[in-house]
Structures are given as structure tokens and as C-alpha cells.
């Protein structure tokens, strides 16, 4: 069985081929131009997906050494995400399936992130807890098996990645903020400012990052922070590093504590992390330390499967098709789709 998977829900146009459960190719075109606007511009994202969808799909087939006539099915994301962006990949996937006379499989983007640790070895075994941390989402999910999930908790306001992006904007260091804050933080002192740890002592598995973002803003006002820096460039660089390290420490402490708590509550042995923020070096380090002290194994995908990608979509579509789960060609985009 050979499946093509398409992802277009935000700013990555990506396509991948899975053959008999094995990933054959994964081609991703990232829309870097959004950085000059400080965030993803939905209209521009849709247009860029339109321009890139055909070359990305063609390249994924070519790299896999597969002709489109050999495909057994096509999967595409139908939500959640930006409606105009989703529609490009979804319509393309449905049209391709119709033209080739093969089944179409609609894929939930958040479900796809749960599969990003199931693409290649080492894989977590069921049941496991998955922490999905991206620009749009922060969720803890109990994964009993494929398509058998329980949402344990999620953010009540901003997503973790969104907080990274917004704080980076306040600091004037660029977009996307996560990787930049990660870099600055590696040279900074995490105890420079004690920012709040939202819900840390709370027994719930919910998150909230909006208050932390505001705490950073108030701190910057209090110290009279200037984006362009006052004093020497070295002093400004040092200040940025310390602020980034302090902010990152607050986010990471909460994410790690809640992930461990979720594993305790569900009595699993395996903790998986997915989504763009799982690229964060401090999160990886802290979670691995905290988990190994308590006997849990941590799974984090390769970088290309952390951020949005077609491979995780193709993997969901392959597993669904194996179980005979197909979608109607009437399936439409659901920007607010939720896991349960
Ligand atoms: O999963 P993703 O590519 O797209 C969404 O579905 O949102 O995640 C993008 C998010 C951005 O907010 C970005 O700042 C964040 O992931 N991110 C990071 C790092 N790399 C990317 N956040 C913290 N540390 C990183 N190293
Ligand atoms: Zn995502």
C-alpha cells in the first residue's frame, strides 16, 4: 500500500510518501517570507501553498521513486489551522484521489502530530503520553492506541510557541521566536528574572501562557528596555540572553512538570513530544533529565518531523486506510477542528 500525505494547515507546504508503513520521502517548503511581518499572514500563506503544492507533491513522488498511478490513497489535513491554507492541500488531495480513482483520507493535524514519533524508530509503545507543543497548540494527550485518545489538558489561552514568538517580538529579535530565544538563552542566566510559572502547583494538566507573556512585558517596561539597545552592543546582547534564558526556564519548567504529572496520572512509561517547540534544546534536556530520574523514556522526533510535515500526515492516512477508514470527497476544511 502506497500513500501520499499532504500538509498545508499553516506555513509549511509538505508532502510525503509512505509505502507499507515505511517513509519513502518527505518534502517540505517552509514559507520564510512571513518573518518580515512578525507572524504568518493567512492570505499570503494560501497563495504560497498554491504556488508550491504541485512541485512539492511531484518531488515527494520522485524522491520516493513512485508514479502517481501506483498510489493506493491520498491523505490531506482538513483542520485545525488557517482555512485558506488548509483548503489548498485538501482540495488538491481530494482532486488527486478523484482523478486517480483511489480513496481519500482526511487527517486531523493534531492527530498527525501524535504520529510524529511513530514515523521511525525508536517509537514509543502504546499507551503513551504525548505533549504537543507548537505555535498554535499546547496539549497533553493520553494515546491508548491509534485513534484512541484522551485529551488530558491544553492551554486556556496562548500556545507555548505563540508565547515564544510574542516575547521574541517584544525583545525585537525576530520571527519565529522559538529558535532565536533558544539560541540567546544558551548564553544567558535563567535565574536573572524569576518570571511566573503558570499553574505549576496546580493539580490540573491545563496550561496558560498569556500571563507569563504579560509579566515579561511589564518587566521590560519596568527596566526601560529599548529594542535597539542602550549602552554597548555587548551589554544589550547579555541582557537579551538573560531575559531569554529566564523566560524559557519558566515555560520549560511548566511543560516538563505537567508532562511528568500526565505520565504519573495515566501510569504510562513512555512520554513523547511533538510540534515545533519540541525542537527547544532546554525542553529536551530538562524533560530527559526529569523523566530518567523517574524511570520514564522520552521520545522526541527528528527536527524535520517536529515542525509541520507531510510524513506524519501520510502515516495517519496509511494507518487509517489499513483499517478501512476513508473520507468522503465532501469533507471540507474545519479550521477549529478539535481532537475530541
Ligand atoms: O509545529 P510548528 O512548526 O507549527 C505549528 O503548527 O504551529 O511550530 C512552530 C512553533 C513556532 O512558534 C516556533 O517559534 C516554535 O515552534 N519553535 C520553537 C523552537 N523551534 C521552533 N520554540 C522554542 N524553541 C525552539 N527551538
Ligand atoms: Zn503543527
Amino acid at each position: 500500500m502506497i500513500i501520499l500525505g499532504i500538509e498545508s494547515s499553516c506555513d509549511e507546504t509538505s508532502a510525503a510518501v509512505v509505502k507499507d508503513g515505511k517513509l519513502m520521502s518527505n518534502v517540505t517548503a517552509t514559507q520564510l517570507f512571513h518573518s518580515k511581518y512578525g507572524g504568518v499572514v493567512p492570505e499570503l500563506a494560501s497563495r504560497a501553498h498554491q504556488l508550491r503544492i504541485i512541485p512539492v507533491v511531484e518531488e515527494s513522488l520522485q524522491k520516493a521513486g513512485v508514479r502517481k498511478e501506483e498510489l493506493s490513497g491520498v491523505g490531506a489535513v482538513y483542520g485545525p489551522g488557517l482555512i485558506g491554507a488548509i483548503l489548498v492541500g485538501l482540495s488538491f488531495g481530494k482532486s488527486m484521489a478523484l482523478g486517480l480513482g483511489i480513496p481519500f483520507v482526511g487527517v486531523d493535524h493534531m492527530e498527525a502530530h501524535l504520529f510524529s514519533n511513530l514515523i521511525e524508530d525508536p517509537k514509543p509503545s502504546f499507551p503513551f503520553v504525548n505533549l504537543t507543543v507548537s505555535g498554535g497548540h499546547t496539549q497533553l494527550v493520553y494515546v491508548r492506541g491509534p485513534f484512541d485518545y484522551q485529551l488530558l489538558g491544553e492551554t486556556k489561552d496562548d500556545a507555548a510557541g505563540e508565547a515564544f514568538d510574542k516575547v521574541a517580538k517584544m525583545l525585537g529579535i525576530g520571527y519565529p521566536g522559538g529558535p532565536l530565544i533558544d539560541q540567546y538563552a544558551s548564553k544567558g542566566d535563567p535565574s536573572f528574572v524569576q518570571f511566573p510559572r503558570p499553574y505549576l502547583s496546580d493539580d490540573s494538566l491545563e496550561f496558560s501562557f498569556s500571563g507569563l507573556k504579560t509579566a515579561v512585558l511589564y518587566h521590560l517596561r519596568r527596566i526601560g528596555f529599548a529594542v535597539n539597545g542602550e549602552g554597548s552592543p555587548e551589554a544589550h546582547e547579555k541582557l537579551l540572553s538573560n531575559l531569554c534564558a529566564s523566560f524559557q526556564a519558566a515555560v520549560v519548567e511548566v511543560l516538563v512538570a505537567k508532562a511528568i504529572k500526565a505520565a504519573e496520572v495515566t501510569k504510562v512509561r513512555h512520554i513523547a513530544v511533538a510540534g515545533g517547540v519540541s525542537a527547544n534544546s532546554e525542553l529536551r534536556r530538562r524533560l530527559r533529565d526529569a523523566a530518567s530520574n523517574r524511570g520514564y523514556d522520552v521520545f522526541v522526533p527528528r527536527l524535520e518531523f517536529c515542525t509541520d510535515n507531510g510524513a506524519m500526515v501520510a502515516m495517519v492516512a496509511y494507518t487509517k486506510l489499513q483499517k478501512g477508514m476513508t473520507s468522503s470527497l465532501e469533507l471540507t476544511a474545519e479550521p477549529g477542528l478539535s481532537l475530541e
Side-chain angles (χ1 to χ4, degrees):
M1 196 154 74
I2 310 179
I3 308 295
L4 172 73
I6 300 172
E7 155 64 37
S8 73
S9 65
C10 190
D11 57 349
E12 263 101 20
T13 319
S14 187
V17 174
V18 166
K19 184 178 182 181
D20 299 329
K22 186 171 179 293
L23 182 70
M24 306 298 289
S25 67
N26 180 53
V27 176
T28 303
T30 303
Q31 303 175 5
L32 297 170
F33 60 81
H34 293 291
S35 64
K36 64 174 175 286
Y37 305 103
V40 177
V41 184
E43 276 294 309
L44 300 181
S46 322
R47 274 190 247 163
H49 284 306
Q50 283 175 359
L51 288 175
R52 292 167 188 194
I53 188 82
I54 293 176
V56 164
V57 166
E58 278 179 344
E59 194 181 331
S60 73
L61 291 170
Q62 191 210 337
K63 280 199 169 148
V66 163
R67 286 178 299 112
K68 60 181 184 302
E69 293 76 19
E70 294 177 273
L71 290 174
S72 327
V74 181
V77 163
Y78 70 104
L82 303 169
I83 186 160
I86 296 167
L87 278 170
V88 177
L90 178 62
S91 311
F92 189 87
K94 287 196 294 188
S95 314
M96 215 170 149
L98 179 67
L100 293 167
I102 54 176
F104 172 73
V105 185
V107 175
D108 176 337
H109 178 82
M110 298 315 290
E111 185 169 61
H113 274 304
L114 299 181
F115 271 71
S116 48
N117 279 288
L118 301 172
I119 297 169
E120 54 185 17
D121 291 329
K123 297 173 188 162
S125 40
F126 299 113
F128 63 89
V129 155
N130 196 97
L131 172 69
T132 313
V133 267
S134 71
H137 298 273
T138 304
Q139 291 186 336
L140 270 167
V141 183
Y142 177 41
V143 187
R144 287 191 201 90
F147 319 120
D148 185 4
Y149 320 115
Q150 185 186 340
L151 183 61
L152 299 169
E154 62 184 336
T155 182
K156 291 184 178 298
D157 41 59
D158 292 356
E162 192 179 352
F164 270 95
D165 295 337
K166 287 178 175 168
V167 167
K169 200 169 180 176
M170 289 177 210
L171 297 173
I173 58 176
Y175 176 89
L180 299 163
I181 289 187
D182 198 346
Q183 271 169 31
Y184 275 105
S186 65
K187 294 165 277 168
D189 171 12
S191 61
F192 182 68
V193 191
Q194 186 66 17
F195 287 125
R197 270 66 173 155
Y199 293 178
L200 186 62
S201 50
D202 191 309
D203 250 355
S204 82
L205 295 169
E206 309 287 337
F207 300 91
S208 163
F209 293 107
S210 165
L212 169 59
K213 177 191 69 188
T214 311
V216 175
L217 180 68
Y218 286 169
H219 181 82
L220 296 182
R221 281 192 192 151
R222 215 166 25 245
I223 62 171
F225 177 83
V227 168
N228 296 326
E230 282 164 358
S232 71
E234 293 75 24
H236 189 62
E237 181 96 0
K238 188 77 207 149
L239 178 61
L240 284 177
S241 300
N242 287 337
L243 290 168
C244 287
S246 303
F247 163 75
Q248 181 175 277
V251 177
V252 167
E253 192 177 334
V254 176
L255 292 177
V256 169
K258 299 274 172 181
I260 298 284
K261 190 166 286 179
E264 281 167 8
V265 171
T266 55
K267 301 188 170 58
V268 299
R269 303 274 18 120
H270 289 176
I271 302 173
V273 194
V277 183
S278 58
N280 187 268
S281 55
E282 186 70 3
L283 175 62
R284 288 173 177 230
R285 193 165 38 242
R286 294 271 165 189
L287 186 58
R288 286 221 158 90
D289 287 352
S292 70
N293 289 340
R294 294 168 178 81
Y296 298 113
D297 288 331
V298 172
F299 297 80
V300 188
R302 255 201 288 151
L303 216 53
E304 72 174 296
F305 308 132
C306 281
T307 51
D308 292 345
N309 64 87
M312 62 185 189
V313 179
M315 224 23 118
V316 173
Y318 171 80
T319 314
K320 279 194 162 180
L321 211 51
Q322 257 189 331
K323 293 177 185 288
M325 298 159 76
T326 60
S327 308
S328 153
L329 291 177
E330 309 277 306
L331 183 74
T332 190
E334 283 190 47
L337 184 66
S338 91
L339 204 55
E340 285 187 321

